[in-house]
Amino acid sequence: MTSSSQATDAVTITEAHLEDLVRDACAAPSMHNAQPWAYVYHRRSGVLELLADAARTLPEEDPRRRALHLGCGAALFNLRVAAARAGLHAWVSPLPPATGGDVLAAVRLRRGEVEREAATLHPAVSERRTNRQPYAETRIPEVVRDQLDRAATAERARLVFPQGWHYRMVLDLLADAEAGEAPGHRAEEQGWLRSEEGETPDGIPRGALGPRMREGEAAVREFGEHPDRPWADFEREPQIALLLTLRDEPADWLAAGQALQRVLLTATRAGLSAAPVTRALEEPSLRWLLRDPSEGPGHVQMVLRLGYGPPVPRGTGRRTPAEVLTVRD
């Protein structure tokens, strides 16, 4: 959560240090690994701006740019983690007035009170993976679920594990969304698939897609027809979590992205695997139905499949600080 008391001691940051912070920020997940962020650092003011990269939007699947905000929010939380590890407090002003670009947040790095819990998550920044493999049927202990919920709450969101009829309904909605993919969505998705790792620093290499589901009820994105992908049995009772915010505006999406990344890093630290499930979120009518009205008001911002999966290598590339960072006087 962004601190409520502004730290006062400004720091002079070298470009090498700045690049280290941005490199960690860029390890964040984003839809189709589009990496829809850019950074501008102003030497005179010491402000680091986070901008949406308009060239990396998904107009068919994400017309309101909600997923873009989530990805940028995840990168913003990684930046806070990297700053905390360096003994700095990242004072975040979300959604400031536009200053010649699509600015989502301004970050001022200060000496002062460090986000200590965030600093402990730093090793997980490089360890986190999107794991599309089958998971074990082992149940996540309640103590770990509570840790994940507290991680979401710290960023003004909630993490809910559906139960009973709600769980069944969520699984059915996720399956319906996968079966009813719109042609425009499919074409856009295919545009972000890469033939192999290292082909480009963005998108999803086909080797990272995981197997096709032969048996099970896990919410697995098919990514179209790829005959070379193997078949595998997935979980019979997948463990699904919903990330919710009270409102549904751009500021809430950016906060949800920070909550998502805190949850994912906390899950990584606890030895859990995770994969986002986004197809139903691309359909407004299905997205609304995912929530449980008895839980109170809220908007589902992300669906996660969680569990204990096999280790997987990093399968997706990342743009370098030189590609995403601009330094101005």
Side-chain angles (χ1 to χ4, degrees), residues 20 37 48 55 59 73 94 104 117 140 151 155 179 203 211 220 251-252 269 278 287 290 300 303 312 327:
D20 286 342
W37 46 67
L48 177 63
L104 302 183
E117 174 63 21
I140 301 171
E155 301 297 330
V220 178
D252 306 297
R269 188 173 61 179
T278 61
R287 179 178 168 227
L290 286 169
V300 178
V303 182
V312 293
V327 179

Side-chain angles (χ1 to χ4, degrees), residues 124-275:
V125 169
S126 60
E127 295 169 3
R128 184 207 61 81
R129 304 284 188 271
T130 296
N131 190 334
R132 300 183 180 90
Q133 297 294 321
Y135 299 165
E137 298 285 355
T138 307
R139 306 307 294 171
I140 301 171
E142 284 299 322
V143 64
V144 177
R145 292 189 179 205
D146 290 343
Q147 290 172 2
L148 300 179
D149 184 36
R150 287 197 300 271
T153 301
E155 301 297 330
R156 298 185 293 113
R158 291 188 297 134
L159 193 73
V160 174
F161 287 84
Q163 304 294 327
W165 69 266
H166 186 209
Y167 173 76
R168 184 69 260 167
M169 185 183 72
V170 168
L171 288 184
D172 289 344
L173 289 171
L174 297 179
D176 289 347
E178 182 62 41
E181 182 186 17
H185 291 204
R186 186 178 304 113
E188 190 169 74
E189 171 190 270
Q190 295 299 306
W192 286 97
L193 293 185
R194 308 301 185 222
S195 61
E196 59 185 40
E197 184 178 355
E199 179 186 4
T200 66
D202 56 13
I204 308 174
R206 283 178 168 78
L209 298 182
R212 290 174 287 179
M213 185 168 62
R214 179 172 49 209
E215 297 288 344
E217 288 206 74
V220 178
R221 191 160 189 153
E222 289 297 330
F223 291 98
E225 294 293 333
H226 301 282
D228 56 331
R229 288 173 62 196
W231 294 89
D233 294 338
F234 281 74
E235 308 96 278
R236 296 186 303 275
E237 296 183 359
Q239 298 177 84
I240 299 294
L242 309 179
L243 182 74
L244 299 98
T245 56
L246 185 60
R247 291 177 295 275
D248 197 35
E249 299 299 329
D252 306 297
W253 304 338
L254 195 69
Q258 294 177 80
L260 171 64
Q261 188 65 355
R262 188 185 277 269
V263 167
L264 290 174
L265 296 184
T266 302
T268 299
R269 188 173 61 179
L272 287 172
S273 298

Side-chain angles (χ1 to χ4, degrees), residues 78-90:
N78 269 7
L79 182 69
R80 289 167 49 195
V81 168
R85 177 177 178 269
L88 301 174
H89 179 85

Side-chain angles (χ1 to χ4, degrees), residues 16-35:
H17 189 186
L18 181 64
E19 289 176 359
D20 286 342
L21 297 177
V22 170
R23 185 176 293 105
D24 279 343
C26 290
S30 56
M31 188 170 177
H32 300 339
N33 193 32
Q35 302 174 46

